[in-house]
Structures are given as C-alpha cells and as structure tokens.
C-alpha cells in the first residue's frame, strides 16, 4: 500500500506540533504539511493530491467544518476539537473519526487505523483486463469496474483523470470519483483526442471543462487546479492558440 498523504491542521502551535508528531509516528501516514489555517491547507491541496486531513474545527477565518463542507470531493477527514457538540455534525459530513481534545497517541492510532481501513476500501484492486468496456450502443459511454461494481458513465461527463501509481481516479460530474486499476495510456487511447488532453504525467483533462488557464495551471473549478507539466506545455499551448479569436 502506498503511504497515505496527510495534512495536520490546527491554529494552535502546540496542538499542531503534537498532531504533526503523531502523524509522523504512524508508518503508513506521510505528513505533507502542518498548517495553522484552513486557507494555508487549501493552498497545498490546490497543488498536491492529499489523501487525508487531521483538522481542528474551531479556527479563525475558516473553521474546519466549513472548510470540509465547501469541498466538492474532500479527502478522508478526522476532526479534532475540544468541543464534543461537534461530533454529530462531523459524522454528517462523512468524517472518518472525531478526536476529542486532549487526546493521546493511542486515541490517534485508533483514528489512523480507521483512515487506513477506509483508504484501502477505496483503493481495492480490480483486474485491469476488465476495468474498462466500450459501450457498443453509445460511442459517448463506457463501463468502468470500481469497487466490484460496474458503472456506466458518459465520457463527456468526465472532468479529469488523475494517475495514482497503478490506479486512476476519474472525476465525473455529479458523481463521486471512481478509482480503477487501469493505465493512463490505455484510458488515453479510449478517450476522444478532440475533447481530452494529457497536460501532466498524472493528469488528463476534458478540454470542454476548462474555466481558466492561469500561468502553469488549468482551472476546472474551485476544487480543481491542475498543473501543466513541462513535457506537455507545447501541445497544450498549441491547443490554446488554435482557439484564440483574432491575432
């Protein structure tokens, strides 16, 4: 199993230091950043795929609960707070666990184990040979196998695809992301080249979903700021140039 990439988020420096130390003690967790605000965490999450966050609820500017609620596809979430009344609200947003301060390493280890269990469920392997099937009756549709289910999706509804080692995470309009055991190359061959383009070693985007291009990032929405890789800049810039009106 790949390490689970995590953020520790707490506005109190001592609490943040303890939280980060606990994350580093768990061998299957990888601490990507320790943030003193949700806004700081958002900056990291705009640049890098984060699998799980351990986040305080009571923080200035943007509290942890609202931060999670505003994300279209949140990572795995463990809330930490000194106020027990937030527990029910936390589970309403599908939090993995809820740690009531002050908590010790054993409490944290139990929460981390729940994160690991949920992560493994979402990344269960399926056979690549049968992970993708063309819908012969509809050229804009295909079937994907994910979590032992076969799901029919419209190709035009795909927003973007993220490569995760031997798996792909496919982000779809009005649907939770699908995780399939499939190579980027094989899916890229299946997607229509006039609508989809690879812009990074780890990303294929639906060109029709682009809202903005800002420096070296493609913005598909508030939840999707994707980097343009150096090896893909020329082809992407050629595509943009072909769409400009006038000189």
């Amino acid at each position: 199993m790949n390490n689970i990439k995590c953020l520790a988020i707490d506005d109190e420096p001592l609490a943040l230091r303890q939280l980060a130390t606990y994350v580093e003690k768990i061998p299957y967790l990888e601490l990507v950043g320790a943030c003193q605000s949700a806004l700081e965490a958002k900056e990291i999450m705009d640049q890098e795929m984060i699998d799980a966050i351990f986040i305080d609820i009571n923080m200035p500017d943007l509290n942890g609960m609202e931060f999670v609620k505003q994300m279209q596809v949140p990572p795995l979430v463990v809330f930490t707070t000194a106020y027990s009344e937030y527990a029910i609200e936390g589970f309403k947003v599908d939090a993995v666990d809820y740690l009531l301060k002050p908590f010790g390493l054993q409490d944290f280890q139990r929460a981390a184990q729940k994160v690991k269990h949920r992560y493994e469920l979402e990344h269960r392997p399926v056979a690549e040979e049968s992970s993708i099937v063309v819908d012969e009756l509809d050229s804009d549709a295909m079937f994907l196998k994910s979590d032992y289910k076969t799901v029919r999706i419209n190709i035009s509804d795909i927003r973007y695809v993220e490569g995760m080692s031997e798996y792909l995470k496919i982000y779809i309009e009005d649907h939770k992301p699908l995780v399939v055991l499939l190579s980027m190359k094989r899916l890229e061959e299946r997607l229509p080249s006039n609508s989809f383009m690879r812009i990074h070693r780890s990303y294929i985007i639906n060109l029709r979903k682009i809202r903005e291009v800002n420096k070296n990032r493609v913005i598909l929405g508030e939840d999707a700021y994707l980097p343009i890789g150096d090896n893909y800049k020329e082809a992407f810039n050629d595509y943009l140039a072909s769409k400009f009106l006038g000189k």
Side-chain angles (χ1 to χ4, degrees):
M1 186 187 80
N2 295 328
N3 282 348
I4 301 170
K5 294 185 176 182
C6 303
L7 291 181
I9 310 165
D10 198 308
D11 64 306
E12 298 177 6
L14 290 177
L16 179 61
R17 192 178 308 149
Q18 181 192 54
L19 189 57
T21 298
Y22 284 170
V23 171
E24 291 176 330
K25 287 181 180 292
I26 308 298
Y28 49 82
L29 299 184
E30 177 184 339
L31 183 66
V32 175
C35 309
Q36 286 192 259
S37 72
L39 298 178
E40 184 183 343
K42 185 178 185 303
E43 289 183 3
I44 296 176
M45 295 173 72
D46 285 344
Q47 300 294 329
E48 186 167 355
M49 180 66 185
I50 299 299
D51 301 309
I53 58 176
F54 296 84
I55 182 169
D56 185 29
I57 293 179
N58 288 79
M59 294 187 294
D61 298 326
L62 180 63
N63 75 46
M65 188 69 68
E66 293 305 317
F67 177 55
V68 172
K69 285 181 178 179
Q70 73 178 18
M71 285 188 276
Q72 185 176 345
V73 186
L76 301 174
V77 178
V78 174
F79 285 117
T80 67
T81 183
Y83 302 93
S84 59
E85 62 267 23
Y86 284 112
I88 294 176
E89 192 175 357
F91 287 112
K92 283 182 180 178
V93 296
D94 198 28
V96 176
D97 206 356
Y98 175 96
L99 288 169
L100 187 63
K101 296 179 179 179
F103 56 86
L105 180 58
Q106 282 190 334
D107 295 321
F108 184 85
Q109 286 173 327
R110 282 192 288 270
Q113 189 63 37
K114 291 180 182 180
V115 168
K116 179 175 180 285
H117 178 68
R118 181 84 70 89
Y119 180 86
E120 288 174 341
L121 283 177
E122 292 184 1
H123 294 77
R124 284 181 298 189
V126 293
E128 176 169 356
E129 293 76 20
S130 57
S131 290
I132 179 171
V133 179
V134 176
D135 187 341
E136 300 292 349
L137 300 178
D138 185 353
S139 61
D140 186 47
M142 61 182 170
F143 293 97
L144 293 169
K145 280 196 173 181
S146 177
D147 290 340
Y148 302 105
K149 296 182 295 186
T150 301
V151 182
R152 181 185 184 277
I153 64 168
N154 291 323
I155 294 173
S156 58
D157 287 339
I158 297 174
R159 298 176 64 220
Y160 66 98
V161 179
E162 179 184 9
M164 305 186 307
S165 187
E166 68 268 33
Y167 297 93
L168 299 181
K169 194 168 189 178
I170 303 175
Y171 294 81
I172 306 164
E173 296 283 3
D174 302 319
H175 195 290
K176 73 175 185 176
L178 297 177
V179 176
V180 298
L181 179 61
L182 196 64
S183 66
M184 289 284 273
K185 184 177 184 297
R186 186 166 180 212
L187 184 62
E188 192 173 10
E189 290 170 350
R190 172 68 183 93
L191 296 173
S193 59
N194 63 329
S195 301
F196 290 85
M197 180 177 286
R198 194 163 180 174
I199 61 165
H200 187 276
R201 182 173 56 86
S202 301
Y203 294 105
I204 297 172
I205 64 167
N206 186 337
L207 297 168
R208 301 178 191 275
K209 304 295 184 183
I210 295 175
R211 291 191 185 179
E212 183 180 334
V213 179
N214 189 338
K215 296 181 181 178
N216 292 323
R217 293 192 300 177
V218 175
I219 301 172
L220 305 182
E222 293 182 359
D223 62 325
Y225 289 63
L226 307 181
I228 304 170
D230 290 341
N231 293 336
Y232 302 88
K233 280 182 184 177
E234 184 177 354
F236 184 70
N237 287 336
D238 287 347
Y239 165 77
L240 289 182
S242 73
K243 299 300 178 183
F244 281 127
L245 294 177
K247 294 183 180 179

